[in-house]
Amino acid sequence: MERLARFLWSLPACDHLHKNESVLKAKAVVAFHRGNFKELYRILENNNFSPSSHTKLQEHLVKAHYMEAEKLRADLLEQWASIESGRSFLYPEQYGTATKLATALRKNLERC
């Protein structure tokens, strides 16, 4: 994947070349494998692809959304665990802040 990324980076700055469907698909695959989902979404949303490419690109899109949701859920659970484990050590003035954060985390977890 790194060789493909280096190749794409080494392409000359030609708009026609960078709008080529094969180059765009390669960029999308590299972005997916690097975990750069914003770049993947940008490529897929701003360009047209042939119907034969739709299945594979759709798979990448769905997997990217799933991976982002899993990462968000793991981050939220990690934050929740740190709040729960440190709750007995909070000072009275910190209870309000921890409670607000816990409520926000619960709401985010319900959305996932």
Side-chain angles (χ1 to χ4, degrees):
M1 200 51 54
E2 287 304 312
R3 288 179 66 187
L4 178 59
R6 282 195 307 267
F7 171 74
L8 291 171
W9 186 79
S10 70
L11 291 174
C14 172
D15 229 17
H16 180 70
L17 182 63
H18 287 278
K19 293 290 183 184
N20 181 292
E21 183 173 345
S22 297
V23 173
L24 289 170
K25 287 191 301 187
K27 285 181 179 184
V29 169
V30 168
F32 173 78
H33 284 283
R34 286 186 167 178
N36 188 355
F37 300 129
K38 287 184 180 181
E39 178 68 12
L40 173 66
Y41 301 148
R42 187 190 64 75
I43 291 169
L44 296 179
E45 290 171 359
N46 295 326
N47 298 287
N48 295 321
F49 296 92
S50 65
S52 62
S53 303
H54 288 185
T55 305
K56 191 65 175 172
L57 294 173
Q58 183 70 28
E59 287 175 13
H60 284 313
L61 183 66
V62 169
K63 285 180 185 177
H65 282 302
Y66 179 77
M67 290 167 69
E68 276 190 323
E70 285 295 311
K71 185 179 181 326
L72 176 64
R73 176 170 269 168
D75 290 346
L76 291 173
L77 289 174
E78 190 175 295
Q79 290 175 0
W80 177 259
S82 69
I83 289 171
E84 288 298 314
S85 66
R87 202 167 265 230
S88 61
F89 300 105
L90 292 176
Y91 294 107
E93 62 270 7
Q94 292 175 315
Y95 282 122
T97 304
T99 305
K100 288 177 188 174
L101 181 58
T103 304
L105 289 172
R106 272 192 212 107
K107 288 179 183 176
N108 283 330
L109 283 174
E110 288 171 0
R111 279 192 272 155
C112 293

